[in-house]
């Protein structure tokens, strides 16, 4: 599958490069998100349809097991690379960081037309040259917010178990 192959090649290339941890985080996100953006912008209507289908499947869970075969390899590679950047983080937090990047990614790559419902909109769903870089910055910021600076301090206070504490009402302690 071309998308998985492109992602795996780029993720492995990032891992092989010598760079600081902050640059590595940004490069990993770009390696994972760049291929679908490029394929969607290639002009091939098949890719546009594929990403629309992936958006529907992701949001509904329909055929998730079948579709997961296309995406789990690169996702595991990304989680492994994030775990190397954040070795003291619990696997659940690294997995959550990876899973939470799917929402913004799907909103951009599936081009759902949601922004077109606003009369005052400043862009369209298909404006991937604008949205792609913004999405990458948003996701890198979200990972930093959840896991902290790569190899450094943590963004939020921790409870005694090494996880972010919650009071049961969704707010951090």
């Amino acid at each position: 599958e071309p998308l998985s192959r492109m992602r795996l090649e780029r993720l492995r290339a990032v891992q092989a490069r010598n760079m600081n941890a902050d640059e590595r985080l940004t490069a990993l996100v770009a390696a994972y998100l760049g291929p679908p953006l490029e394929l969607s912008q290639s002009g091939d209507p098949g890719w546009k349809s594929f990403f629309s289908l992936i958006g529907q499947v992701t949001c509904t869970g329909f055929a998730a097991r079948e579709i997961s075969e296309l995406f789990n390899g690169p996702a595991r590679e990304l989680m492994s690379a994030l775990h190397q950047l954040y070795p003291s983080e619990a696997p659940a937090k690294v997995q959550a960081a990876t899973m939470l990047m799917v929402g913004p990614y799907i909103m951009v790559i599936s081009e759902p037309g949601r922004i077109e419902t606003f009369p005052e909109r400043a862009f369209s769903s298909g404006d991937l040259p604008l949205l792609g870089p913004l999405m990458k910055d948003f996701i890198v910021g979200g990972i930093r917010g959840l896991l902290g600076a790569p190899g450094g301090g943590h963004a939020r206070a921790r409870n005694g178990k090494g996880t972010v504490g919650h009071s049961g009402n969704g707010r951090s302690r």
Side-chain angles (χ1 to χ4, degrees), residues 34-44 47-48 51 108-111 128:
L37 286 168
E38 292 163 22
L39 291 170
S40 188
Q41 293 176 79
S42 71
D44 182 341
W47 282 112
K48 292 276 187 197
F51 292 123
V108 169
I109 203 69
S110 66
E111 301 178 41
L128 298 183

Side-chain angles (χ1 to χ4, degrees), residues 15 19 26 30 34 73 89 101 110 115 127 142:
Q15 289 296 86
M19 61 183 81
T26 301
E89 287 296 346
M101 66 188 288
S110 66
I115 194 67
D127 194 354

Side-chain angles (χ1 to χ4, degrees), residues 77-164:
E77 190 90 13
L78 178 62
M79 282 187 274
S80 175
L82 288 174
H83 228 322
Q84 290 174 19
L85 279 176
Y86 298 96
S88 64
E89 287 296 346
K93 285 190 72 181
V94 173
Q95 287 178 2
T98 305
M99 183 199 68
L100 292 170
M101 66 188 288
V102 171
Y105 156 73
I106 290 297
M107 280 302 291
V108 169
I109 203 69
S110 66
E111 301 178 41
R114 174 68 178 99
I115 194 67
E116 282 77 6
T117 65
F118 289 92
E120 65 275 20
R121 68 182 171 89
F123 59 90
S124 72
S125 294
D127 194 354
L128 298 183
L130 170 73
L131 294 173
L134 294 174
M135 172 188 62
K136 290 174 189 175
D137 289 346
F138 181 82
I139 289 171
V140 168
I143 292 171
R144 283 188 190 121
L146 181 64
L147 302 177
H154 299 288
R156 296 193 229 174
R158 308 213 167 267
N159 66 23
K161 298 175 187 161
T163 59
V164 175

